[in-house]
C-alpha cells in the first residue's frame, strides 16, 4: 500500500524506523515524529504504513515491544531494537549508500 | 535466534489474539491522543484537533487488518471474516437459508436414522457377536407329498450334536430356543424372555461375561442338566440393582429354582436381536416341559435353532451336512430322508427367508439416500438461483480484483455452512425420528445403543461435508467461470445456453423425485387402505367389546382322585371365576372357552358317518364353549340353536358346526340333526348337530374357513385345562379390566398368572405389518413430497432469476402479468405432470411386488392413484406459485435501466 503523499522513498521506511530506534526505544507516534524531525520536515510518516511496518519488524525479530509509562504518565507501547535489528540496520545502511551513490552517478551523467 | 523470536511473536499473537487486539487498540488511542495534543499546541480547538488526528490516522480498521496480516494471523482472520460474512448473507436471505437448511436437515436426518437401523440390522449384526457374517443358521428343506417344498429352521437337538460330531462344516456350532418364563406368582406375575442355549453359543459368539462365568458343557448334559442360569444384564439391573453378590444365589423362573453362575454383558442377545433376560442350559428346557428321556436323540419334530461358524466354504458345508443328514435321519418321515440342508444368514427368519422388516428397512434406506441426492440437487439449484440474483454483486467483486478462487471459496463456505447447519438439525430430527422408526418397525429389537451413536455421527458428518462441498462447488465453478464476467459485459442475459445441459439434468432429477414421492405416497395409501379393510373386515366375532382372560391355575395335586377329579377341580375353578366376573359392573355376559379364536387352536380327528370318503373328513378345529359363548363373542348362529345351560356334562352329546363344515359335508342339505363323531370323546359317541354357526377367522386375518365343531364346555374332559374366560363389556373396557384384575387378585386359591386382553389387542400383532407400512411409507412420503416441493420451488426460482431480464423486456413490450405467470408456472407444472406420469407408471410397474404385502385390496388402484397424483399436482402448483408470482413483479424500468 503506497503512502498517500509518497513522502518517504518507497522501501526505506523499515530502515528509517530501525535507525530511529537505534537512537533510543520509542513508541509509534514518537517514531513518526522523530523521522519527520530528523528529516527537517521533508518526510511525514503515514500511520497506515508505520504500524504494519512495526508489526513486520516485530515478527522478524528486529525489534521487541515493551509497555512503558510515558513522561505524561500514560501507558504506551515502546519498541526497542534488537541485536539482529542492529545488524540489519547496518546492512541496509550499506546497501542504501551503495545504491544511492549509484543513482547519484546516473543522475549526474550528461 | 531472531527468527525464533519472530515465530514466537506470531504464535503468541495467534494464541492470544484478543489480547493482541486490545494492545493494538491501546496503541492506536495513544497515538491519536498524542497527535491531537500536537494539533492542540498548534492552536486547534480540542475537538478539531482530535478530529484532525483521527482523519490523519485514516481507516482504522484497514490499518488493523494490515497490521494483522503483517502479524501473520491474517489467514485465520480471513476465514473467521468469511464465516461472519456468510452468516450475514444467510441472515439477509432467510427464505433461502431456511429452505436449504430444512431440505438438508430432513434428508440428513432420514439418512442418519436409517443408517443407525441398517447398521445394526445388516452391517454389524447383534451386539457382542464377532464376525457375524461367518455365522449361519441351519435349515432343512423337505419336499412334501404334495410336492410343496417346506424350509424350516426348527431342528431337533440330535441334529445339533450330529452336525457338531459327524461333520467338519463348523468350527463351532450351537443350538438355542427362545421362550418365555414366568417370574413371580399371581395377577402381577410377569413373563420374561429367556433363551435355552447350549454353552457353545457363548464360545460361538465370542462374548465375555460381565460377571461370573457362563455355564459349561458339563452343566448342560442331556437328558437333565444342572439348574444353573446366566442372567441378562438388563434383568440383573432391573431385578437386583446390579448387585455383584448375585452370583451363587438362586432365581425362581417358572416353577423352578436356578443358581446364578454369571451375568451376560450389556446388550447381549445371542445371535438374535430381541432382548434376553436369562440364559438357561438346553437340558433345563426338557426337564421342565416333559422329562422324556430320549429328547436328545429323537429326530422327530424340532424346536430349536442351530447356528454355526463356518469352517469351510458354504456350499461345501451344505453338501457335508446334507449327506450327514440323509444318513443319520431315523425319524418316520420319508420326505426327510431326501431332505437337504442349507445354511443362511442369521438375520433370516425360521422359514429361511429374509424378514420383511429388513426388506422395508433396506427400501427406506434407499429412499433416504435418493432423498439426500435430491436434497443436494435442490440446494444446488437454490444456491445457483441465488448466485444469479447476486450476479451483479459477484461481478463487481470480480471486477474489483477478488480472485476466482476467493469467490469459489466463499460460495463453498456458504454451502458447507448450510450443510453443517442442516446436518446438525438432521441429527436432532434423527434422534426422535429414528426412535419412532425403530419402535414402529422393530419393536422387539433390544437396541443397546442410542439412535445416534458414534458410527451414525461419523457417517452423517462425512455425508454432510461431501454434500456441502459438492453443492457449493458446482454453482461456484459455473458462476465464477466466465459466466459472470461475460454477464457483466453482456448485460444480464447470461447463463442461457451454457445452462441448458445442467438444466436438463436438474429437471430430470426433479421429475424423478416427484415420481418417487408419488410412488411412496401411493404405497402408503395402499397400506392405509389395507388397514381400513382390516378394520372393516367381518371376523365373525366382535373385537372391541370382548376381553379374553387367560389364567393359569396352580397345578392340581395329583394325590387325590386321579385325572377325573383333577378335571372336575379345574372346571370348578373356571366356573367360580366366571361367577365372580358376572357380578363386575360393566360386564354384560361371560363364557368359558377352550380353543377359542385368537387364543389357541385345537384340531381333533373327526368322523362323519356316511361322509368318511370326503378328503375333508380328517379333522376339524374343535372349540369347547360354555353356554352364552356365542352371545359373548358375537358369533351368529345361522341355523338351529346355541347350547342350553344344562348341556354338556351328563346329557346326550351335542355339537354346533360352522358353515364351512356344513357346506363340506351336507351341501344343500339340512345339517341339523346329523351325527358327528369327535374321536376320543365319550368312546367315539355320536354327537348330534344342534346348530350351525357362521365362519370365523380363528387365528389369522388371512385364512380360509376350515371345518369347525363347537362342543359344550365340559363334554370332553380333554378340553378344559388351558381354557380362557371371555367377557363381553360395554364401552369402558379399561374400568372393567381393573375390576377383573381385582377379582383375580382376591381369588382363592390364587392364580399363578393372568393376562387380560381385548380381541383387538390379540389381533394387533397381525395388523402390525400394515400399520408399519402405512406409518413408514406415509412418513417418508410426506417428507419426500416436502423435499420435492422445495425442489420445484428452487427450480422455478432459478428459472425466474435467470430470465429476469427477458421477463422485464416482455413486460415492457406489453406482456400482461397473467401471461408471465402462465409462462413460468407452466414450466413448474410441466415438470410436475411429467413426474406424476412417470410415478404412475412406476407405481403400476411395481404393483405386483407390492401386492403380496397388501390385505385383499388391489395394488393397481386407479382411484387412489388419481387422488395421490392430484395431491402431488396441488403441492407442485403451490410450490411454483410464489416464484412465478415474483416473476410478474419484475419491474421493467429497473431491468432496462440496469442495462
Amino acid at each position: 500500500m503506497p503512502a498517500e503523499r509518497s513522502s518517504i522513498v518507497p522501501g526505506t521506511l523499515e530502515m528509517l524506523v530501525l535507525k530511529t530506534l537505534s537512537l533510543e526505544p520509542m513508541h509509534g507516534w514518537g517514531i513518526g515524529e522523530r523521522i519527520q524531525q530528523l528529516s527537517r520536515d521533508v518526510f511525514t510518516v503515514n500511520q497506515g504504513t508505520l504500524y504494519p511496518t512495526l508489526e513486520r519488524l516485530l515478527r522478524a525479530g528486529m525489534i521487541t515491544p515493551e509497555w512503558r509509562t510515558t513522561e505524561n504518565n500514560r501507558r504506551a507501547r515502546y519498541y526497542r531494537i534488537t541485536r539482529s535489528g542492529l545488524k540489519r540496520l547496518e546492512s541496509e545502511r550499506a546497501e542504501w549508500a551503495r545504491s544511492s551513490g549509484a543513482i547519484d552517478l546516473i543522475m549526474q551523467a550528461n | 535466534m531472531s527468527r525464533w523470536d519472530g515465530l514466537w511473536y506470531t504464535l503468541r499473537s495467534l494464541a492470544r489474539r484478543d489480547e493482541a487486539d486490545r494492545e493494538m487498540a491501546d496503541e492506536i488511542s495513544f497515538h491519536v491522543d498524542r497527535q491531537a495534543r500536537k494539533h492542540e499546541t498548534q492552536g486547534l480547538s480540542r475537538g478539531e484537533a482530535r478530529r484532525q488526528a483521527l482523519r490523519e490516522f485514516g481507516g482504522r480498521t484497514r490499518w488493523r487488518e494490515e497490521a494483522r496480516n503483517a502479524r501473520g494471523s491474517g489467514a485465520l482472520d480471513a476465514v473467521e471474516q468469511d464465516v461472519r460474512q456468510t452468516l450475514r448473507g444467510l441472515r439477509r436471505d432467510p427464505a433461502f437459508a431456511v429452505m436449504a437448511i430444512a431440505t438438508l436437515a430432513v434428508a440428513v436426518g432420514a439418512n442418519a436414522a436409517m443408517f443407525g437401523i441398517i447398521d445394526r440390522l445388516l452391517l454389524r449384526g447383534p451386539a457382542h457377536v464377532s464376525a457375524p457374517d461367518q455365522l449361519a443358521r441351519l435349515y432343512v428343506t423337505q419336499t412334501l407329498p404334495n410336492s410343496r417344498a417346506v424350509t424350516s429352521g426348527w431342528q431337533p437337538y440330535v441334529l445339533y450334536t450330529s452336525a457338531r460330531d459327524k461333520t467338519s462344516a463348523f468350527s463351532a456350532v450351537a443350538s438355542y430356543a427362545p421362550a418365555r418364563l414366568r417370574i413371580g406368582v399371581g395377577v402381577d406375575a410377569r413373563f420374561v424372555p429367556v433363551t435355552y442355549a447350549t454353552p457353545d453359543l457363548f464360545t460361538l459368539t465370542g462374548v465375555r461375561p460381565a460377571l461370573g462365568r457362563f455355564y459349561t458343557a458339563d452343566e448342560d448334559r442331556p437328558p437333565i442338566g444342572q439348574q444353573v442360569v446366566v442372567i441378562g444384564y438388563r434383568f440383573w439391573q432391573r431385578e437386583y440393582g446390579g448387585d455383584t453378590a448375585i452370583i451363587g444365589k438362586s432365581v425362581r423362573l417358572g416353577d423352578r429354582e436356578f443358581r446364578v453362575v454369571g451375568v451376560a454383558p450389556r446388550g447381549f442377545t445371542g445371535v438374535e436381536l430381541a432382548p434376553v433376560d436369562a440364559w438357561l442350559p438346553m437340558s433345563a428346557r426338557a426337564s421342565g416341559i416333559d422329562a422324556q428321556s430320549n429328547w436328545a436323540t429323537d429326530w422327530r419334530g424340532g424346536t430349536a435353532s442351530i447356528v454355526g461358524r463356518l469352517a469351510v466354504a458354504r456350499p461345501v458345508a451344505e453338501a457335508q451336512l446334507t449327506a450327514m443328514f440323509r444318513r443319520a435321519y431315523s425319524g418316520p418321515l420319508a420326505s426327510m430322508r431326501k431332505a437337504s440342508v442349507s445354511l443362511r444368514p442369521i438375520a433370516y427368519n425360521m422359514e429361511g427367508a429374509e424378514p420383511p422388516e429388513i426388506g422395508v428397512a433396506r427400501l427406506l434406506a434407499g429412499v433416504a439416500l435418493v432423498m439426500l441426492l435430491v436434497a443436494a440437487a435442490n440446494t444446488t439449484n437454490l444456491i445457483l438461483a441465488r448466485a444469479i440474483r447476486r450476479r451483479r454483486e459477484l461481478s463487481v467483486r470480480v471486477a474489483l480484483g477478488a480472485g476466482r478462487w476467493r469467490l469459489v471459496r466463499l460460495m463453498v463456505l456458504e454451502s458447507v455452512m448450510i450443510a453443517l447447519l442442516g446436518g446438525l438439525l438432521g441429527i436432532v430430527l434423527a434422534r426422535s425420528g429414528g426412535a419412532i422408526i425403530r419402535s414402529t418397525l422393530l419393536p422387539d429389537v433390544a437396541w443397546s445403543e442410542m439412535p445416534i451413536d458414534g458410527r451414525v455421527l461419523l457417517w452423517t458428518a462425512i455425508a454432510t461435508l461431501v454434500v456441502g462441498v459438492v453443492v457449493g462447488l458446482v454453482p461456484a465453478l459455473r458462476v465464477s467461470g466466465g459466466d459472470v464476467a461475460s454477464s457483466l459485459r453482456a448485460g444480464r442475459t447470461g447463463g442461457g445456453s451454457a445452462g441448458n445441459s445442467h438444466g436438463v439434468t436438474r429437471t430430470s432429477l426433479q421429475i424423478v423425485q416427484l415420481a418417487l414421492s408419488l410412488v411412496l405416497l401411493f404405497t402408503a395409501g395402499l397400506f392405509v387402505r389395507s388397514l381400513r379393510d382390516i378394520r372393516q373386515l367381518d371376523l365373525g366375532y366382535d373385537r372391541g367389546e370382548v376381553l379374553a382372560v387367560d389364567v393359569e391355575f396352580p397345578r392340581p395335586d395329583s394325590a387325590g382322585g386321579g385325572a377325573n377329579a383333577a378335571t372336575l377341580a379345574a372346571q370348578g375353578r373356571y366356573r367360580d371365576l366366571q361367577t365372580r366376573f358376572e357380578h363386575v359392573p360393566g360386564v354384560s355376559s361371560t363364557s368359558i372357552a377352550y380353543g377359542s379364536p385368537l387364543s389357541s387352536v385345537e384340531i381333533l380327528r373327526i368322523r362323519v358317518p356316511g361322509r368318511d370318503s370326503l378328503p375333508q373328513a380328517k379333522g376339524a378345529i374343535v372349540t369347547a364353549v360354555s353356554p352364552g359363548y356365542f352371545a359373548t363373542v358375537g358369533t351368529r348362529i345361522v341355523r338351529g340353536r346355541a347350547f342350553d345351560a344344562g348341556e354338556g356334562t351328563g346329557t346326550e352329546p351335542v355339537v354346533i358346526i360352522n358353515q364351512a363344515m356344513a357346506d363340506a359335508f351336507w351341501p344343500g342339505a339340512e345339517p341339523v340333526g346329523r351325527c358327528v363323531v369327535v374321536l376320543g370323546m365319550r368312546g367315539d359317541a355320536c354327537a348330534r348337530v344342534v346348530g350351525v354357526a357362521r365362519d370365523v377367522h380363528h387365528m389369522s386375518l388371512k385364512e380360509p374357513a376350515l371345518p369347525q365343531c363347537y362342543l359344550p364346555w365340559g363334554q370332553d374332559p380333554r378340553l378344559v385345562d388351558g381354557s380362557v374366560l371371555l367377557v363381553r363389556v360395554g364401552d369402558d373396557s379399561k374400568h372393567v379390566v381393573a375390576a377383573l384384575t381385582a377379582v383375580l387378585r382376591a381369588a382363592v386359591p390364587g392364580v399363578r398368572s393372568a393376562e387380560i386382553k381385548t380381541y383387538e389387542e390379540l389381533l394387533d400383532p397381525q395388523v402390525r405389518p400394515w400399520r408399519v407400512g402405512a406409518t413408514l411409507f406415509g412418513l417418508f412420503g410426506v417428507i419426500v413430497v416436502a423435499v420435492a416441493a422445495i425442489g420445484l420451488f428452487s427450480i422455478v426460482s432459478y428459472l425466474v432469476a435467470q430470465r429476469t431480464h427477458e421477463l422485464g423486456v416482455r413486460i415492457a413490450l406489453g406482456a400482461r402479468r397473467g401471461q408471465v405467470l402462465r409462462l413460468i408456472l407452466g414450466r413448474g407444472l410441466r415438470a410436475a405432470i411429467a413426474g406424476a406420469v412417470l410415478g404412475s407408471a412406476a407405481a403400476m410397474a411395481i404393483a405386483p411386488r407390492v401386492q403380496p404385502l397388501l390385505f385383499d385390496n388391489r395394488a393397481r388402484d386407479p382411484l387412489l392413484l388419481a387422488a395421490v397424483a392430484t395431491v402431488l399436482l396441488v403441492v407442485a402448483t403451490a410450490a411454483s406459485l410464489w416464484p412465478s408470482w415474483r416473476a410478474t413483479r419484475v419491474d421493467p424500468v429497473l431491468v432496462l435501466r440496469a442495462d
Side-chain angles (χ1 to χ4, degrees), chain B residues 799-883:
Chain B
L799 197 75
V800 171
Q802 213 178 25
R803 295 172 64 174
T804 305
H805 183 72
E806 176 206 328
L807 293 172
V809 173
R810 278 173 189 260
I811 292 173
L813 291 178
R816 277 192 300 278
R817 305 253 185 230
Q819 285 172 315
V820 172
L821 188 70
R822 264 202 299 284
L823 181 77
I824 300 295
L825 201 57
R827 283 292 289 265
L829 284 188
R830 269 206 292 284
I833 289 167
V837 169
L838 188 69
S840 303
M844 290 298 112
I846 63 160
R849 301 193 57 181
V850 179
Q851 187 68 64
L853 301 174
L854 299 180
F855 186 82
D856 276 359
N857 51 329
R858 283 168 309 130
R860 291 202 168 118
D861 184 341
L863 228 69
L864 182 66
L865 193 59
V868 172
T870 310
V871 168
L872 198 66
L873 288 180
V874 168
V875 170
T877 312
S880 332
L881 211 53
W882 158 245

Side-chain angles (χ1 to χ4, degrees), chain B residues 466-766:
Chain B
V466 168
V467 165
V469 170
V470 170
V471 146
L473 209 53
V474 171
L477 291 179
R478 274 203 59 205
V479 170
S480 66
D483 271 27
V484 173
S486 64
S487 88
L488 194 63
R489 281 193 298 275
R492 255 148 303 283
T493 51
S497 59
N500 269 352
S501 63
H502 296 273
V504 169
T505 322
R506 241 188 334 271
T507 315
S508 346
L509 203 59
Q510 186 61 36
I511 290 171
V512 166
Q513 183 186 10
L514 286 162
L516 180 71
S517 50
L518 183 128
V519 171
L520 282 175
L521 280 185
F522 179 68
T523 313
L526 287 175
F527 278 104
V528 170
R529 277 204 49 186
S530 284
L531 276 183
R532 202 195 55 188
D533 289 351
I534 290 168
R535 208 160 290 139
Q536 288 172 355
L537 180 72
D538 187 357
L539 296 169
Y541 43 81
D542 302 323
R543 34 184 135 167
E545 298 90 349
V546 184
L547 294 172
V549 185
D550 194 351
V551 292
E552 188 191 353
F553 289 115
R555 271 167 210 267
D557 309 329
S558 48
N564 222 358
T567 305
L568 280 176
Q571 275 183 319
R573 285 179 187 137
Y574 283 112
R575 289 233 160 88
D576 182 46
L577 264 186
Q578 187 194 11
T579 319
R580 289 166 197 264
F581 281 177
E582 272 169 357
H583 292 106
V584 170
V587 171
S588 57
S589 75
T590 64
S591 174
I592 310 168
Y594 179 93
S596 61
L598 304 178
S599 293
S600 61
V601 194
E602 184 74 49
I603 294 179
L604 292 179
R605 292 172 66 81
I606 58 163
R607 244 170 13 93
V608 180
R611 294 286 193 274
D612 282 346
S613 57
L614 287 171
Q616 304 96 316
K618 285 204 169 132
I621 299 173
V622 177
T623 306
V625 300
S626 74
Y629 167 81
F630 294 100
T632 302
V633 299
T635 298
R636 247 172 338 108
I637 298 290
V638 292
R639 296 188 74 83
R641 60 172 175 84
F643 294 129
D644 290 334
E647 260 164 349
T649 29
T651 51
E652 178 210 1
V654 288
V655 65
I656 292 172
I657 60 172
N658 69 346
Q659 284 172 299
M661 186 159 166
D663 292 345
F665 290 96
W666 300 283
E670 173 62 74
V672 173
R674 309 274 182 159
C675 169
V676 174
V677 176
V678 176
L679 293 184
M681 182 186 77
R682 301 241 183 131
D684 299 350
C686 186
R688 188 168 50 86
V689 175
V690 296
V692 178
R694 59 155 303 176
D695 295 336
V696 301
H697 288 256
H698 197 83
M699 288 309 269
S700 119
L701 291 168
K702 279 181 159 179
E703 68 178 19
L706 295 170
Q708 183 171 15
C709 295
Y710 295 93
L711 303 175
W713 190 73
Q715 182 171 294
D716 188 334
R718 291 174 296 180
L719 312 180
V720 171
D721 202 12
S723 294
V724 295
L725 289 134
L726 299 166
V727 178
R728 190 179 185 83
V729 297
D731 300 329
D732 192 14
S733 66
K734 281 242 166 51
H735 274 112
V736 178
V737 169
L740 294 180
T741 308
V743 169
L744 287 168
R745 205 183 293 280
V748 179
V751 296
R752 292 210 296 181
S753 69
E755 202 169 47
I756 306 179
K757 280 184 171 168
T758 63
Y759 267 12
E760 193 79 69
E761 286 165 336
L762 289 175
L763 217 48
D764 191 70
Q766 296 188 43

Side-chain angles (χ1 to χ4, degrees), chain A residues 1 27-29 33 36 47-48 51-52 55-56 58-61 67 70-72 74-77 79 84, chain B residues 2 6 9-10 23-24 26-27 29-31 33-35 37-38 56-57 63 66-67 69-72:
Chain A
M1 184 61 60
H27 45 70
W29 183 78
E33 286 298 300
Q36 194 174 338
Q47 358 287 358
Y51 284 95
E55 286 290 347
R56 249 190 325 274
L58 277 168
R59 232 175 110 207
W67 287 90
T70 67
E71 59 275 21
N72 296 326
R74 267 204 68 167
R75 250 168 61 81
R77 177 139 83 160
Y79 299 89
S84 59
Chain B
S2 64
Y9 179 76
T10 304
E23 285 183 354
M24 194 184 293
D26 282 354
E27 196 167 10
S29 80
F30 171 76
H31 184 109
D33 284 353
R34 283 303 297 263
Q35 190 71 6
R37 228 174 53 218
K38 182 178 159 192
E56 281 171 11
F57 202 88
W63 171 78
E66 275 165 16
N69 275 332
R71 209 160 65 205

